[in-house]
Amino acid sequence: MVHYALGVLFGLALGALVSWLRLDSLLGRMEALGAAFGVMLYLVNFHLLAQVFPWFLELRGWATLMAHLVFGISAALLYWKLARRDAA
């Protein structure tokens, strides 16, 4: 439950960041932003927070990094797809 709740919260944070910076106009920009967000999330979780939660150390690796990349890109693309567009 905690993992899914954190996923929702991080998705909302990404949506707020995109909305605040108004970066949702181009699909490629959204993909890049989502990838960067996923990598940043991985680095914070498994390199910064691992100092506080040492059991995170054993989860570091390419598979976890790829999972975070997929999460970030998917969340950004869902935001882009579901965003309301002006009719003008």
Side-chain angles (χ1 to χ4, degrees), residues 21 73 84:
L21 296 175
I73 293 170
R84 293 183 184 176

Side-chain angles (χ1 to χ4, degrees), residues 7-8 11-12 14-15 18 24 27 30-31 34 70-85:
V8 169
L12 290 171
L14 177 61
V18 168
D24 61 345
L27 180 60
M30 288 296 291
E31 290 173 334
V70 168
F71 168 77
I73 293 170
S74 298
L77 291 178
L78 279 170
Y79 180 93
W80 185 81
K81 181 71 175 169
L82 298 173
R84 293 183 184 176
R85 307 271 192 255

Side-chain angles (χ1 to χ4, degrees), residues 17-85:
L17 179 67
V18 168
S19 177
W20 181 59
L21 296 175
R22 300 174 195 237
L23 297 173
D24 61 345
S25 60
L26 299 173
L27 180 60
R29 186 181 297 168
M30 288 296 291
E31 290 173 334
L33 180 65
F37 187 80
V39 169
M40 186 260 332
L41 195 58
Y42 171 81
L43 291 173
V44 168
N45 286 339
F46 294 98
H47 290 274
L48 188 66
L49 290 179
Q51 297 172 2
V52 179
F53 305 108
W55 58 88
F56 280 10
L57 291 173
E58 63 190 53
L59 297 173
R60 281 186 190 172
W62 286 105
T64 308
L65 176 59
M66 290 298 124
H68 282 76
L69 272 172
V70 168
F71 168 77
I73 293 170
S74 298
L77 291 178
L78 279 170
Y79 180 93
W80 185 81
K81 181 71 175 169
L82 298 173
R84 293 183 184 176
R85 307 271 192 255

